[in-house]
């Protein structure tokens, strides 16, 4: 059972043609490796641009976020329900290959699982997983919600089956936030929500541990103490699979980049980057730059 799997409507293969992918970039190229942020289910690049992208740009980093196919302003919304996790991996690899050097990949929730699967195909400068889908898949989370908060589980079904306009935001906000959010901000975030690919949800529903990282690729695994979807024990399972220790941040909900304590999350990532992913001058012919991406803002 999955908390967000709903009888499919419009279930067909995603387009394999070259897609225009929305990318939002802040900051400029520097000796520090660029950061590429990958969003979770039901969201888009906008969730990173609310706080994280400007914050890391102010700290001297090139910070970019991609909207996976069918999300945000990226192409192929009509074929969303046929997009698989491997399609999302292709999207991330496509954008990552346009930087002047391998980026640090930062993935949240579903995006964390996508980032881990990217490790089969590339060696990023580093990896940060934030409240990532755990190795046991979504089913464990579904059963936990069914037992502990069935009302929240129902809101997830409404979001996937009928769309964000049918969701009770004052109930559903417990999924993302550790404390109530003012109505104006809640409506602004809700405006960016959307349905998720049925095929991707199916991919995530069953246990399917992603490949382990190479030990020379530094990894930071973060969890949120107040996460209703992936509680700390699931985050620790992800970290253990990669041979690292999870860090659980207090007073934070699942939406770690949007919750009230987002600055503590960003600051922890920045400290880790300075310690584990030091800057170094890039050669002029290292790789294509971000200039000329199919779609970009910022």
């Amino acid at each position: 059972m999955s908390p967000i799997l709903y009888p499919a409507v419009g279930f067909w293969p995603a387009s394999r043609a070259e897609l225009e992918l929305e990318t939002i970039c802040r900051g400029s190229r520097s000796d520090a490796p660029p950061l590429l942020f990958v969003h979770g289910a039901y969201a888009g690049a906008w969730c990173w641009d609310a706080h994280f992208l400007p914050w890391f740009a102010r700290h001297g980093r090139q910070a970019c976020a991609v909207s996976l196919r069918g999300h945000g302003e990226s192409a192929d919304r009509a074929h969303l329900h046929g997009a698989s996790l491997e399609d999302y991996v292709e999207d991330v690899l496509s954008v990552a290959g346009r930087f002047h050097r391998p980026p640090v990949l930062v993935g949240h929730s579903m995006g964390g699982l996508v980032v881990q699967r990217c490790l089969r195909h590339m060696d990023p400068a580093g990896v940060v997983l934030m409240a990532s889908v755990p190795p046991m898949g979504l089913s464990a989370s579904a059963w936990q919600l069914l037992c502990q908060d069935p009302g929240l589980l129902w809101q997830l079904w409404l979001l996937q089956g009928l769309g964000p306009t049918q969701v009770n935001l004052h109930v559903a906000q417990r999924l993302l936030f550790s404390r109530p959010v003012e109505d104006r901000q809640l409506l602004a975030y809700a405006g960016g929500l959307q349905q998720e690919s049925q095929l991707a949800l199916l991919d995530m529903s069953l246990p399917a541990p992603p490949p382990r990282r190479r030990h020379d690729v530094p990894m930071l695994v973060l969890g949120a103490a107040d996460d209703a979807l992936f509680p700390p024990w699931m985050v620790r399972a992800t970290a253990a699979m990669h041979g690292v220790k999870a860090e659980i941040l207090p007073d934070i909900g699942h939406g770690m980049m949007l919750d009230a304590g987002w600055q503590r999350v960003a600051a922890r990532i920045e400290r880790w980057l300075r310690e584990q992913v030091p800057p170094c001058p890039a050669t002029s012919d290292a790789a294509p730059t971000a200039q000329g991406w199919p779609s970009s803002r910022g």
Side-chain angles (χ1 to χ4, degrees), residues 79-290:
H79 295 149
L80 171 67
H81 288 299
S84 69
L85 288 182
E86 290 306 312
D87 290 322
Y88 294 162
V89 168
E90 288 182 10
D91 295 341
V92 174
L93 294 175
S94 173
V95 176
R98 301 176 188 273
F99 287 103
H100 65 288
R101 61 168 55 177
V104 175
L105 300 180
V106 184
H108 173 254
S109 196
M110 179 185 76
L113 184 55
V114 171
V115 163
Q116 291 174 79
R117 292 195 177 189
C118 285
L119 299 180
R120 294 186 180 123
H121 309 284
M122 67 173 291
D123 293 326
V127 172
V128 179
L129 304 179
M130 298 169 52
S132 179
V133 173
M136 64 284 298
L138 295 178
S139 296
S141 176
W143 284 110
Q144 178 164 292
L145 281 177
L146 181 63
C147 295
Q148 297 182 357
D149 199 338
L152 187 54
L153 179 63
W154 175 245
Q155 294 302 315
L156 283 168
W157 274 74
L158 289 177
L159 175 58
Q160 180 64 11
L162 301 177
T165 60
Q166 303 303 310
V167 171
N168 183 329
L169 297 179
H170 292 285
V171 175
Q173 69 174 314
R174 297 203 304 270
L175 177 69
L176 294 178
F177 304 113
S178 59
R179 65 193 72 175
V181 177
E182 64 178 44
D183 288 349
R184 178 184 59 83
Q185 193 65 69
L186 192 61
L187 288 172
Y189 292 152
L193 296 178
Q194 63 170 83
Q195 293 174 311
E196 187 48 67
S197 162
Q198 298 283 16
L199 186 55
L201 293 176
L202 183 62
D203 282 349
M204 291 186 286
S205 293
L206 300 176
R212 295 187 180 185
R213 69 183 176 101
R214 283 178 39 175
H215 287 290
D216 57 345
V217 175
M219 177 178 286
L220 175 65
V221 178
L222 297 177
D226 298 330
D227 193 334
L229 189 59
F230 304 134
W233 72 268
M234 295 186 186
V235 177
R236 293 189 181 101
T238 299
M241 182 182 62
H242 292 286
V244 299
K245 185 177 180 179
E247 297 187 26
I248 309 300
L249 302 183
D251 303 318
I252 297 284
H254 184 71
M256 300 178 74
M257 75 292 283
L258 296 173
D259 206 353
W262 68 266
Q263 287 180 307
R264 288 189 286 115
V265 183
R268 178 64 191 103
I269 294 173
E270 175 64 21
R271 290 196 304 273
W272 178 83
L273 289 170
R274 293 181 182 276
E275 295 168 358
Q276 300 295 327
V277 192
C280 62
T283 59
S284 59
D285 58 350
T289 68

